[in-house]
Amino acid sequence: MNDEPKPPGHIGQGMDYGELADVQQVHAAVQREKREPRTGAEPLSVWLIAIYGLAVFFGGAYLGRYSGNFMSGGLDPMGAPPPAKKAAAGGPAEQVAELSPHDRGKKIFAANCQTCHQANGLGVPGQYPPLAGSEFTNGGSERMGMIVLKGLQGPVKVKGQQFGSAVMQPWDKTLTDQKIADVMTYERSEWGNSASPVTAEQIAALRKELATHPESYTEHDILTAPDEDIRGGAPAGGAAPKPGQAAKPGEPPKPQG
């Protein structure tokens, strides 16, 4: 009888390596292999998580501070203006709402007259005459109004000093009646002056009276005019005081006997 040779051993089926090995050796070989990557399941970077966290934190802080309850202007970084508070009738808000003619005139003087007449009203010696203590400033408002409206040219004597080439430009086409009245009121009550205030109605009347006079006045023209307050408009506080006895702004005029 022919004896067929027996195979040396059982060859494992499904082995990757084609050699005889037990199950534990095969599993060990598989475990040594790297894991297959799983697409879409990669862990986030620590830096990316930190950036997202900071963005959410600062975004929430910004909205919490500037949202303004998401009202109009609430997201303005400079902050929306606070809502106006309604003041009670006769309260402090109503009492300080408007500047006085003296305060308005001070601003007009600083913008238009201060360069020549100086902030102290003393002018520039030999060039621009003073307003402080000037007979034109403290006298009747008509002469002063003529100078302010139409201007002054040529030599003029003020407080005993001669100003040979004094030239003042006319303001009738530049300033309104109210602004001229305010600046005259300021000048006639500042630097120790104590002349009567001037109203816009008085300036309007004088402007109409001088409408046919195209040129600036000279000292002779000014001295020819009466030294009294402007006619045609009620002065502030009542009747016009006499020259030299002018009341201060806001002071009631003295009764005429």
Side-chain angles (χ1 to χ4, degrees), residues 19 48 82-83 86 91 108 111 125 127 137 145 149-150 167 173 176 198 214 217 219 227 232-233 239-240 254:
E19 74 259 1
L48 191 59
K86 295 182 179 180
I108 300 170
Q127 295 182 350
T137 307
L149 280 170
K150 291 299 182 177
V167 176
K173 294 180 175 59
T176 63
V198 182
Y217 288 107
E219 180 185 31
D227 187 14
K254 297 180 182 180

Side-chain angles (χ1 to χ4, degrees), residues 47-245:
W47 290 105
L48 191 59
I49 295 176
I51 292 175
Y52 286 160
L54 290 174
V56 172
F57 174 77
F58 285 109
Y62 181 91
L63 290 177
R65 182 174 181 180
Y66 299 115
S67 64
N69 295 327
F70 294 97
M71 298 175 61
S72 175
L75 296 180
D76 186 359
M78 301 303 295
K85 296 182 179 179
K86 295 182 179 180
E94 294 183 358
Q95 298 176 2
V96 297
E98 186 178 356
L99 294 175
S100 65
H102 178 277
D103 293 336
R104 293 196 305 263
K106 183 176 182 179
K107 293 185 176 182
I108 300 170
F109 177 85
N112 300 280
C113 316
Q114 184 169 300
T115 301
C116 298
H117 296 290
Q118 304 301 304
N120 55 11
L122 297 179
V124 179
Q127 295 182 350
Y128 303 108
L131 299 177
S134 168
E135 52 267 38
F136 295 108
T137 307
N138 286 282
S141 60
E142 181 169 349
R143 290 181 174 181
M144 185 178 181
M146 292 170 61
I147 297 174
V148 176
L149 280 170
K150 291 299 182 177
L152 180 67
Q153 61 181 352
V156 62
K157 180 180 291 186
V158 178
K159 297 176 63 176
Q161 299 181 9
Q162 188 75 25
F163 296 86
S165 58
V167 176
M168 177 176 172
Q169 70 178 68
W171 292 100
D172 59 340
K173 294 180 175 59
T174 307
L175 299 179
T176 63
D177 295 338
Q178 186 63 63
K179 289 184 176 181
I180 292 178
D182 290 341
V183 74
M184 287 179 60
T185 297
Y186 169 73
E187 294 170 353
R188 290 165 64 83
S189 60
E190 190 70 10
W191 314 300
N193 298 335
S194 58
S196 60
V198 182
T199 65
E201 291 76 15
Q202 287 178 301
I203 298 301
L206 184 60
R207 185 192 295 271
K208 184 177 181 180
E209 181 181 343
L210 305 180
T212 58
H213 194 283
E215 299 178 353
S216 297
Y217 288 107
T218 64
E219 180 185 31
H220 175 74
D221 298 328
I222 299 299
L223 296 179
T224 302
D227 187 14
E228 59 186 24
D229 281 341
I230 301 171
R231 302 176 299 276
K242 296 180 180 180
Q245 299 179 355

